[in-house]
């Protein structure tokens, strides 16, 4: 077990709603990454935080935001949800920015 | 721009036969290349990274900078190798540590 945890495992919600996905990195890991996996786009990088600060942004919509808290856990907030936001959202952590990334089990979001 | 291409979506191989999963990349600097594996209903796990030059579960991968390839190989396939395999690239510069993934290859080992 890599130690990265994500909650919830599954989330079903309606269009227009807002949800928060949570990630707890492995103990001691300072970097947290968020990825989206969908059937049409594959695995896409969303955002990277290092020790509480945003390090890099990828293909993240303006409706999406994230933060990393002092205890190093991270939250991904998705608002004004659309059908196309349905996907698996993975969190990964690493000790530093250049170490191996360990992935969580993912949160499956279904927007109806 | 960085890109990873895995040309085969599906690959079926008989047990005991050699396996090769193809991966080509595009990156202007010195990338770090990885292979991740996802077994059924499990999370993504790192299988190999090119800088470690290890052999994991009998798999090896050599970085060929001339051909910009990082193909994954195993001489004798086993049934437990059936999984989804992703090739990924990470940049070497500050702020580019994210992973860029290929579309993945689903490997099925036929008993």
């Amino acid at each position: 077990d890599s130690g990265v945890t994500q909650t919830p495992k599954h989330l079903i919600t309606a269009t227009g709603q807002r949800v928060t996905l949570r990630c707890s990195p492995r103990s001691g890991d300072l970097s947290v990454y968020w990825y989206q996996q969908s059937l049409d786009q594959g695995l896409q990088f969303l955002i990277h935080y290092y020790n509480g600060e945003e390090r890099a942004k990828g293909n993240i919509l303006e409706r999406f935001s994230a933060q990393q808290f002092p205890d190093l856990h991270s939250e991904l907030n998705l608002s004004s949800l659309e059908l196309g936001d349905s996907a698996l959202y993975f969190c990964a952590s690493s000790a530093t920015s250049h170490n191996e990334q360990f992935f969580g089990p993912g949160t499956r979001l279904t927007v109806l | 721009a960085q890109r990873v291409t895995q040309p085969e979506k599906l690959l079926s191989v008989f047990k005991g036969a050699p396996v090769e999963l193809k991966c080509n990349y595009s990156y202007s600097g010195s990338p770090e290349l990885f292979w991740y594996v996802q077994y059924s209903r499990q999370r993504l796990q790192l299988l190999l990274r090119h800088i470690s030059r290890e052999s994991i579960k009998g798999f090896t991968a050599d970085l060929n900078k001339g051909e910009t390839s990082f193909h994954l190989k195993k001489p004798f396939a086993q049934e437990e190798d059936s999984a989804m395999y992703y090739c990924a690239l990470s940049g070497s510069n500050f702020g580019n540590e994210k992973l860029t993934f290929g579309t993945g290859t689903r490997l099925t080992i036929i008993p």
Side-chain angles (χ1 to χ4, degrees):
Chain A
D1 191 316
S2 70
V4 179
T5 60
Q6 290 185 248
T7 56
K9 280 189 178 180
H10 303 278
L11 200 48
I12 301 174
T13 188
T15 54
Q17 295 298 305
R18 173 190 170 92
V19 296
T20 297
L21 312 183
R22 183 189 169 103
C23 168
S24 292
R26 294 186 319 152
S27 177
D29 283 0
L30 300 178
S31 264
V32 169
Y33 302 79
W34 285 97
Y35 296 88
Q36 180 195 57
Q37 185 178 36
S38 60
L39 283 174
D40 53 343
Q41 298 286 331
L43 268 160
Q44 299 274 317
F45 166 72
L46 294 177
I47 199 162
H48 170 202
Y49 276 85
Y50 178 77
N51 202 20
E53 294 195 3
E54 183 184 302
R55 176 69 68 95
K57 259 187 178 178
N59 300 321
I60 187 166
L61 301 169
E62 283 193 17
R63 300 184 284 109
F64 295 1
S65 65
Q67 53 184 325
Q68 186 180 25
F69 295 87
D71 68 352
L72 301 176
H73 91 272
S74 178
E75 292 181 355
L76 179 68
N77 300 295
L78 316 177
S79 61
S80 303
L81 285 167
E82 301 175 0
L83 296 177
D85 298 328
S86 295
L88 255 175
Y89 291 85
F90 286 105
C91 163
S93 75
S94 65
T96 68
S97 290
H98 286 282
N99 282 76
E100 171 188 347
Q101 292 184 29
F102 291 87
F103 280 77
T107 293
R108 183 171 293 280
L109 173 66
T110 302
V111 182
L112 301 175
Chain B
Q2 54 201 63
R3 185 179 300 148
V4 177
T5 302
Q6 294 180 251
E8 305 134 331
K9 277 193 174 180
L10 302 169
L11 184 64
S12 294
V13 172
F14 283 100
K15 178 181 172 182
V19 175
E20 183 177 42
L21 303 175
K22 291 185 167 50
C23 172
N24 287 88
Y25 67 90
S26 172
Y27 184 70
S28 55
S30 295
E32 188 165 354
L33 274 297
F34 305 83
W35 276 99
Y36 277 83
V37 60
Q38 189 173 30
Y39 300 103
S40 178
R41 300 189 180 187
Q42 294 186 28
R43 66 187 69 192
L44 277 161
Q45 304 171 36
L46 180 66
L47 183 62
L48 286 175
R49 61 193 305 181
H50 88 271
I51 59 170
S52 65
R53 302 185 67 80
E54 289 179 325
S55 171
I56 307 293
K57 299 186 180 182
F59 285 97
T60 58
D62 289 318
L63 180 60
N64 185 324
K65 292 185 179 180
E67 295 183 359
T68 60
S69 69
F70 189 57
H71 302 326
L72 184 68
K73 299 177 185 179
K74 183 170 182 176
F76 307 104
Q78 298 172 290
E79 287 185 62
E80 54 264 34
D81 296 330
S82 292
M84 194 74 179
Y85 290 80
Y86 293 95
C87 183
L89 174 158
S90 172
S92 52
N93 51 312
F94 179 88
N96 197 22
E97 301 93 342
K98 67 179 186 294
L99 290 169
T100 297
F101 286 91
T103 49
T105 298
R106 182 169 298 281
L107 175 65
T108 302
I109 306 302
I110 305 166

